[in-house]
Amino acid sequence: MALLRLLLPRGLRASLGRRLPLGPAGCRRLSATSARPDARPPRAATMEQPGAGGINPSEDENVSRKEISEEFEMDTVDSLIDMPFATVDIKDACEITDVPKIKLKINKQNECIKSDQIKKRKRKGEDNQPNYFLSIPITNKEITKGIKILQNEIIQQDERLAKAMVSDGSLHVTLLVMQLLNEDEVNIGIDALLELKPFIEEILQGKHLTLAFQGIGTFGNQVGFVKLVEGDDINRLLKIAETAKRTFHEKGVKVGDDRSFKPHLTFMKLSKSPWLRKNGVKKIDPELYEKFLSHKFGEEMLHRVDLCSMQKKKQSNGYYHCESSIMVGKKPIGIQDLINEALHQERMRLKSKVKQIKELLLKPEIQANIRRELFGERLINNISGNDVDFSMTLT
């Protein structure tokens, strides 16, 4: 009976304890009618003996306490079997919940939430990350030679920085950064670049724009660059950059942030090799380029602006993948350059025309006219009930 009391829920034990009077054996006495409604009264065996005429008090008093206790225990167990919680697991009846499973579900939900948040942050970062830029290529051999000497001087002092150097073919001045996510947006960028050409010519007004490079600077000791000499040419370059930003923005292109444009010629950057930071190279020591703080690297005349990709494979000469270019200024160019420019402009115009034709063919009224021309009115009426869709064929 003690074991049974331990197995019962606490609330049930308390309830039974309040209702059952204590017997002489330390157990609680339960009447037969309360334990088993269909059982006979507990004194039936002694109250109505064969041949007896009434109640025999002496025999009733001779019932042993042990028998009463055993009968109570059996009756109580039988009655408990018929109660609703008889099939309930003991740990559930005693309010022992499956905590590990609940915690596991909560942990999984929290991990999913955190994972979604991280993915959203990554997507948000990717949504704002530029992948194209307008480039002014460096073609003056004097400038590239001077930068190569600078790079070698730095590498001699710290060989690890060789991984941070920009290759000769990639040297350029960035005019504008932007984001173009698909082919259609790239075509829009190309159109914007072609529209930019007359604006640049208007700013130049038939004059040369010469970029003079002298001295060294850094961005947070993480990016090393050659400075441009201040003057009227730089002011015109800043005006061209502002015009380019407005032109691309009006086309719906997502352009770079609102920070002030600072033209520069990058020759090294630590971010090119994460290995450097792991090996203790966290900044560019100014002593490495101390000899070049006033060095004149040469001049570059503005004659071309390229729309380049940051992510696509570079060309064989090390320069970035170029989607389109415009020739500006008055720099003398060879006959082959003129031919290449003419072919390029013609290809861009054809590409734009194809895009317009494709959009035109997708219009419902144009498709209806094509059906009538190809099949005639009667055939169109016959096949209209079959819901034939010609748009897939036209596209």
Side-chain angles (χ1 to χ4, degrees), residues 45-195:
T46 57
M47 289 171 62
E48 297 180 2
Q49 295 290 341
I55 298 175
N56 190 347
S58 61
E59 290 181 1
D60 181 65
E61 293 175 356
N62 290 333
V63 176
S64 66
R65 295 178 181 178
K66 182 176 181 180
E67 292 175 350
I68 294 176
S69 177
E70 291 177 352
E71 182 181 0
F72 162 73
E73 185 171 341
M74 294 177 62
D75 291 341
T76 303
V77 172
D78 291 340
S79 65
L80 290 177
I81 293 175
D82 295 331
M83 295 183 73
F85 58 79
T87 59
V88 178
D89 197 319
I90 294 298
K91 64 179 180 181
D92 294 332
C94 297
E95 301 179 353
I96 301 175
T97 58
D98 197 354
V99 178
K101 289 184 179 181
I102 295 177
K103 286 185 177 180
L104 182 59
K105 291 181 180 179
I106 294 175
N107 290 337
K108 287 184 178 180
Q109 292 175 354
N110 291 337
E111 289 177 1
C112 291
I113 293 173
K114 290 180 180 179
S115 177
D116 291 340
Q117 291 175 346
I118 292 173
K119 289 180 180 179
K120 288 180 180 179
R121 285 196 295 268
K122 289 183 177 179
R123 285 196 296 267
K124 185 177 180 181
E126 292 174 356
D127 290 343
N128 297 323
Q129 188 70 24
N131 58 348
Y132 277 83
F133 66 101
L134 292 184
S135 167
I136 300 175
I138 301 300
T139 59
N140 187 345
K141 300 299 182 181
E142 180 186 356
I143 297 176
T144 56
K145 181 180 179 180
I147 290 179
K148 192 64 178 179
I149 294 173
L150 166 64
Q151 292 174 334
N152 290 335
E153 180 71 21
I154 294 175
I155 294 172
Q156 287 178 5
Q157 299 176 67
D158 192 340
E159 295 181 355
R160 297 175 297 177
L161 292 176
K163 297 181 178 295
M165 298 303 170
V166 176
S167 63
D168 299 351
S170 299
L171 295 175
H172 70 281
V173 175
T174 299
L175 198 61
L176 179 70
V177 296
M178 68 197 72
Q179 185 186 68
L180 304 173
L181 297 178
N182 50 53
E183 184 179 354
D184 289 338
E185 292 187 4
V186 171
N187 290 332
I188 293 174
I190 293 173
D191 293 340
L193 178 62
L194 297 178
E195 290 185 11

Side-chain angles (χ1 to χ4, degrees), residues 146-293:
I147 290 179
K148 192 64 178 179
I149 294 173
L150 166 64
Q151 292 174 334
N152 290 335
E153 180 71 21
I154 294 175
I155 294 172
Q156 287 178 5
Q157 299 176 67
D158 192 340
E159 295 181 355
R160 297 175 297 177
L161 292 176
K163 297 181 178 295
M165 298 303 170
V166 176
S167 63
D168 299 351
S170 299
L171 295 175
H172 70 281
V173 175
T174 299
L175 198 61
L176 179 70
V177 296
M178 68 197 72
Q179 185 186 68
L180 304 173
L181 297 178
N182 50 53
E183 184 179 354
D184 289 338
E185 292 187 4
V186 171
N187 290 332
I188 293 174
I190 293 173
D191 293 340
L193 178 62
L194 297 178
E195 290 185 11
L196 180 62
K197 178 180 172 66
F199 293 118
I200 295 179
E201 297 290 1
E202 182 180 353
I203 293 173
L204 296 178
Q205 295 182 351
K207 299 179 181 179
H208 298 301
L209 192 155
T210 303
L211 304 177
F213 297 92
Q214 180 179 1
I216 304 297
T218 67
F219 293 126
N221 289 323
Q222 300 293 311
V223 177
F225 61 86
V226 177
K227 297 179 179 180
L228 276 80
V229 179
E230 298 291 339
D232 292 339
D233 286 329
I234 294 300
N235 293 334
R236 287 193 293 167
L237 182 64
L238 295 175
K239 191 172 182 180
I240 291 174
E242 183 62 31
T243 303
K245 182 177 181 180
R246 183 178 65 252
T247 303
F248 277 78
H249 180 72
E250 289 175 354
K251 283 283 189 178
V253 177
K254 184 182 292 186
V255 295
D257 55 32
D258 295 327
R259 290 181 297 180
S260 58
F261 171 63
K262 184 177 181 179
H264 59 279
L265 173 54
T266 300
F267 66 87
M268 70 176 295
K269 49 186 176 181
L270 299 182
S271 61
K272 282 178 60 66
S273 178
W275 173 88
L276 292 172
R277 177 170 290 274
K278 294 179 181 179
N279 286 268
V281 182
K282 298 181 180 180
K283 65 178 183 178
I284 303 172
D285 189 347
E287 295 182 357
L288 297 174
Y289 53 82
E290 187 176 10
K291 297 179 182 180
F292 296 84
L293 290 176

